Each structure stands twice: as structure tokens, then as C-alpha cells.
């Protein structure tokens, strides 16, 4: 029986990845930031260490990893973070440098398979070059994060990356991140949408993809996973419905040029306050005029991702956001 190390095992993605690993007969070890979101969150058979892996010495990390065959990197900063300028420096230090160090140490102790949780903004930086997303801090550093992990693995460790889209599901002790969006809509008579759409998955599918990618064992391979494509208007309407505002909030599709001054003002105000978005709001909004869709069949069969009821998962997630217990 192989032992797999999951970085961030008490987070949303790490928690479900551990559940999937256990269901397939793997042993699991993890480290996660304290405190536990729920005291008995993980089964007793999971070897759980509380702390910040980045604070450990190289020797301490080697000791932690030396009995493991695989590593799943379910940690890091995402595009919802608005750091101090320059954002490139923040995301480089939050995502790239720790990944490079841990991948190097993992290879040194003999780990054979390394799976990185990345972002679908890296995918669209390649698919939509006209948006110059490589010049934006978050997509740029997500691509770089993959490259340094691939490079560290050369010769003895298989490294693959999952490019993750919108993800839905709930877990004990944590509020879904989607609450920040339902809070924005709460009480508003109009919440406009741009004409594009996005791809979506359930958190269970992310976990299945992670284990599938590890077992597939294809070095330098990236997987942009998907299960359901939906317009932004339809998604916002689902949030409106969850809030009980179906009769009081309209979700019209508006022209990008009509909205652009507002997003440019958001970028200007961020800069005024010494902040910078990982993807500038004017760029992000323009990107949302595109159908950021991915064909599910591209990865579902390859990684053994099962069919899940994504709509049901979205509704359960949004219901928890608006009626927390």
C-alpha cells in the first residue's frame, strides 16, 4: 500500500483528496495550517501534522516526506487575493518558490509522483493569447509554478498539473468561498453579467482527477478538468435564487464597454491603496465576455473522473453560503 502526502489536507480540496485516496486504499500523511476546522475532521488513520510547511527546515521536510511515494500539492494563493503591489512578487513568493523547494525536496527523498493543483487561468493564457494573460501576475506565476515543478522532477519524479476551474461543494467547519459573491448580490436590485461563461466541477471530481493524474503518471502533462459549462448570467441567477431574491433582483447581460469604466476604476483605486489584482479587473471583465469552456470528455475518461450532479452541488454550496448553520 502506497503512502501519499497531501499538502493542505484540511483545506477544501485537500480534505476531499484525502477522502478519495483512502477510498482507493492509500495511506495518507498531511500537514495543514492550524487550527483544524473541525476537531474530528480527518479519520484516525490519517497522519496529520499541524503547522506551516514553509516554516520547516529542509531536513524537517525530508524527514516528513521520506516514507511517501506520492505528493499532492493542494495549497497556495488564488486570484481572489488582492495583495500589495507588485502582485507578481506576491504570487511568485506564495506559489512559485514554495512549489520549487518542496518539489526539489520531494525528489531528493525518492517521491515518484507529484501532482500540482493549478488554475484554469494558465490554460486560457495559452488558449487565448490575445488577452496577454502571461503579462498578468496570477496566470504568469501559475504557468511558472508548473514549469519549476516540471523541471525539478526531471529524471526521477513524474510531475503533472491540474488546471482547476470553478469548484463547488461543502465540507465540515468551513464556509464556501462563494459566500463573498453571494454577499455582493445580497439586497441588490440589479446584478449585471457579461456575455461569456465558465466551466465548473464538483470538489469530488477534483479529488478523482488528482488521484487519477497521480496514477496516470505522465510527466509534464497538464489537465484542464471540466464537467459542466454555464453562462455567467445563469450562474448569477442561481445565486439570486439561493438568496430568495428571484422577484427582486434582475440579472441582465450587459455590454463590456458599458461596464469597463467601473472595472478600470476598481484597478485605479487598488493602485491608490498600494494594491494590485492578480488579474487586473479590466482584463478579468473582458475575459468574462468569452466562453471559458472546456470539453469535459478531454479529461474525464483519461483521469477516471465520474459523473456528478454539478447543478445539485452548486445549489448545496450556495445554500450553505446564504443560510449558514
Amino acid at each position: 500500500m502506497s503512502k501519499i502526502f497531501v499538502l493542505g489536507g484540511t483545506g477544501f480540496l485537500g480534505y476531499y483528496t484525502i477522502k478519495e485516496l483512502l477510498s482507493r486504499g492509500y495511506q495518507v500523511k498531511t500537514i495543514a495550517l492550524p487550527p483544524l476546522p473541525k476537531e474530528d475532521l480527518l479519520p484516525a488513520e490519517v497522519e496529520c501534522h499541524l503547522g506551516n510547511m514553509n516554516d520547516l527546515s529542509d531536513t524537517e521536510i525530508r524527514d516528513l516526506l521520506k516514507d511517501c511515494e506520492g505528493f499532492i500539492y493542494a495549497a497556495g494563493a488564488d486570484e481572489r487575493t488582492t495583495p500589495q503591489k507588485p502582485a507578481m512578487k506576491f504570487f511568485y513568493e506564495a506559489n512559485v518558490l514554495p512549489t520549487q523547494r518542496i518539489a526539489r525536496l520531494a525528489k531528493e527523498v525518492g517521491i515518484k509522483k507529484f501532482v500540482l493543483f493549478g488554475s484554469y487561468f494558465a490554460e486560457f493564457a495559452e488558449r487565448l493569447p490575445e488577452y496577454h494573460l502571461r503579462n498578468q501576475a496570477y496566470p504568469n506565476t501559475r504557468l511558472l509554478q508548473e514549469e519549476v515543478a516540471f523541471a525539478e522532477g526531471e529524471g526521477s519524479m513524474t510531475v503533472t498539473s491540474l488546471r482547476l476551474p470553478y469548484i463547488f461543494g461543502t465540507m465540515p467547519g468551513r464556509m464556501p468561498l462563494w459566500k463573498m459573491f453571494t454577499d455582493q448580490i445580497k439586497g441588490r436590485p440589479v446584478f449585471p453579467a457579461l456575455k461569456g461563461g465558465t466551466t465548473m466541477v464538483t470538489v469530488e471530481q477534483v479529488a478523482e482527477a488528482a488521484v487519477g493524474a497521480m496514477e496516470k503518471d505522465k510527466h509534464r502533462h497538464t489537465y484542464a478538468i471540466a464537467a459542466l459549462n454555464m453562462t455567467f448570467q445563469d450562474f448569477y441567477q442561481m445565486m439570486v435564487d439561493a438568496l430568495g431574491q428571484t422577484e427582486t433582483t434582475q440579472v441582465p447581460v450587459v455590454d463590456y464597454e458599458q461596464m469597463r469604466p467601473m472595472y478600470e476604476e476598481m484597478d485605479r483605486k487598488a493602485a491608490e491603496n498600494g494594491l494590485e489584482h492578480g488579474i487586473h479587473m479590466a482584463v478579468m471583465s473582458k475575459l468574462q465576455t468569452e466562453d471559458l469552456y472546456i470539453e469535459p470528455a478531454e479529461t474525464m475518461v483519461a483521469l477516471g473522473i465520474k459523473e456528478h450532479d454539478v447543478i445539485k452541488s452548486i445549489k448545496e454550496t450556495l445554500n450553505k453560503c446564504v443560510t449558514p448553520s
Side-chain angles (χ1 to χ4, degrees):
M1 182 187 295
S2 298
K3 183 179 287 188
I4 310 301
F5 193 97
V6 178
L7 178 59
T10 63
F12 180 47
L13 302 183
Y15 169 71
Y16 276 92
T17 300
I18 287 176
K19 289 179 66 175
E20 182 65 21
L21 286 164
L22 293 174
S23 75
R24 299 197 196 188
Y26 290 97
Q27 294 179 326
V28 180
K29 181 187 285 192
T30 187
I31 188 170
L33 296 173
L36 287 171
K38 190 172 180 290
E39 193 58 39
D40 58 348
L41 180 71
L42 297 174
E45 64 263 34
V46 176
E47 186 179 336
C48 182
H49 301 261
L50 293 181
N52 187 336
M53 196 158 186
N54 295 329
D55 292 339
L56 301 182
S57 68
D58 285 5
T59 298
E60 289 171 323
I61 292 175
R62 290 190 195 98
D63 287 343
L64 199 59
L65 302 183
K66 63 185 179 183
D67 60 342
C68 297
E69 181 183 327
F71 190 106
I72 297 178
Y73 196 109
D78 68 21
E79 79 282 359
R80 286 173 289 237
T81 304
T82 306
Q84 294 287 320
K85 294 177 64 177
M88 193 76 77
K89 178 178 185 293
F90 170 82
F91 287 109
Y92 179 74
E93 293 177 348
N95 291 336
V96 181
L97 290 180
T99 301
Q100 184 173 28
R101 178 184 181 224
I102 292 169
R104 172 177 58 83
L105 295 172
K107 182 178 68 174
E108 286 178 6
V109 299
I111 282 178
K112 298 301 182 185
K113 303 173 183 181
F114 190 104
V115 177
L116 176 66
F117 282 5
S119 169
Y120 86 155
F121 287 110
E123 181 75 13
F124 287 107
E126 295 176 344
R127 292 195 185 197
L128 300 173
E130 64 271 26
Y131 282 84
H132 305 290
L133 291 176
R134 292 176 184 270
N135 297 331
Q136 298 289 311
Y138 184 70
N140 176 295
T141 51
R142 280 300 199 181
L143 287 164
L144 185 56
Q145 181 186 31
E146 291 178 343
E147 285 303 316
V148 299
F150 294 155
E152 290 293 345
E154 292 296 339
S156 60
M157 183 173 72
T158 298
V159 181
T160 56
S161 178
L162 297 183
R163 293 176 169 180
L164 304 178
Y166 285 25
I167 305 166
F168 297 91
T170 64
M171 69 171 285
R174 292 196 187 278
M175 178 59 62
L177 294 173
W178 295 107
K179 188 176 187 300
M180 66 185 291
F181 297 97
T182 57
D183 284 350
Q184 291 175 17
I185 298 176
K186 191 178 297 182
R188 291 180 59 170
V190 178
F191 194 81
L194 293 163
K195 68 178 182 178
T198 185
T199 197
M200 303 171 167
V201 294
T202 70
V203 68
E204 293 89 351
Q205 290 170 316
V206 172
E208 291 163 1
V211 182
M214 185 181 65
E215 294 176 345
K216 198 73 174 176
D217 208 23
K218 286 189 173 182
H219 185 52
R220 285 188 169 270
H221 207 84
T222 61
Y223 297 95
I225 69 170
L228 176 72
N229 294 313
M230 181 184 292
T231 66
F232 289 113
Q233 183 187 37
D234 286 346
F235 177 46
Y236 296 169
Q237 187 63 53
M238 290 186 73
M239 289 194 276
V240 166
D241 295 343
L243 286 160
Q245 296 176 193
T246 307
E247 302 300 323
T248 57
T249 300
Q250 295 181 335
V251 186
V253 174
V254 297
D255 182 71
Y256 167 73
E257 291 301 324
Q258 179 183 341
M259 301 292 289
R260 185 173 67 173
M262 179 185 75
Y263 289 110
E264 289 175 342
E265 178 65 9
M266 292 171 70
D267 287 327
R268 188 188 66 78
K269 284 188 175 179
E272 254 183 21
N273 292 315
L275 306 175
E276 185 181 16
H277 296 281
I279 304 176
H280 290 176
M281 297 306 295
V283 176
M284 178 70 88
S285 58
K286 179 65 173 174
L287 193 62
Q288 290 182 351
T289 65
E290 299 283 350
D291 291 334
L292 304 177
Y293 295 161
I294 294 167
E295 173 53 52
E298 291 178 16
T299 52
M300 292 190 76
V301 173
L303 297 181
I305 302 171
K306 300 181 180 70
E307 293 286 350
H308 289 257
D309 191 336
V310 183
I311 295 293
K312 180 181 177 182
S313 184
I314 295 171
K315 289 179 177 178
E316 289 173 351
T317 304
L318 298 178
N319 285 338
K320 184 166 184 178
C321 292
V322 303
T323 56
S325 54

